[in-house]
Amino acid sequence: MKLKLNRHAAKALKKMLEEDGTEGKLFRVFVTNVHGDHAHYDLMLDTPTENDEIVKTDKDIDFILDKNDEYLDGVWIQFFHVPKEEWLITNPSKGGHHHHH
C-alpha cells in the first residue's frame, strides 16, 4: 500500500506526535464514508492490529492502513495554511474526491 503527504502535513503531524500520551502510537488513516466511486477519510492516533499494514513515508512518519480497504491504497494527506488552516485527505486513484477537515 502507498501513502503520501505534503511537507506541511508532515510538520503538523510530527508536532502532534510530540504531545504527551502519544508514545507507541501511529496515525491511522481510515474511511468514514463511501459514496459511489469515492470515500471520505479521517486520521486518528492508534495502534496496529493484525488486519493492518504499517506504511512508511519519505517524511519519517509511519501510518497504519487497513490492508483490506482498497480505498486506502494511494491516499494523499495534505495540510494547507492558506487561505485557512485545513487538512485535505484524498485518494486520486479512487475518484479524486476532496475531503476537507
Side-chain angles (χ1 to χ4, degrees), residues 6-7 22 37 50 65 81:
N6 71 2
R7 63 186 171 92
T22 62
D37 67 345
E50 67 275 357
L65 299 179
H81 294 282

Side-chain angles (χ1 to χ4, degrees), residues 10-98:
K11 185 175 180 180
L13 293 172
K14 284 179 182 179
K15 188 173 183 177
M16 288 180 205
L17 287 172
E18 293 172 359
E19 296 175 6
D20 287 338
T22 62
E23 294 82 18
K25 302 246 183 201
L26 301 174
F27 284 103
R28 175 184 295 279
V29 180
F30 60 98
V31 173
T32 60
N33 204 343
V34 176
H35 296 285
D37 67 345
H38 68 271
H40 293 254
Y41 303 92
D42 208 345
L43 279 172
M44 69 178 189
L45 283 168
D46 202 3
T47 53
T49 69
E50 67 275 357
N51 293 325
D52 295 325
E53 181 175 331
I54 297 182
V55 177
K56 299 190 178 297
T57 68
D58 63 348
K59 306 282 191 295
D60 296 323
I61 300 177
D62 297 342
F63 288 85
I64 303 168
L65 299 179
D66 181 336
K67 60 187 172 189
N68 298 314
D69 194 332
E70 66 177 293
Y71 284 97
L72 295 174
D73 190 19
V75 75
W76 187 16
I77 302 170
Q78 300 172 81
F79 182 71
F80 297 99
H81 294 282
V82 177
K84 62 180 181 176
E85 286 194 354
E86 68 180 336
W87 291 93
L88 179 63
I89 304 174
T90 61
N91 189 334
S93 67
K94 298 292 182 193
H97 180 77
H98 298 291

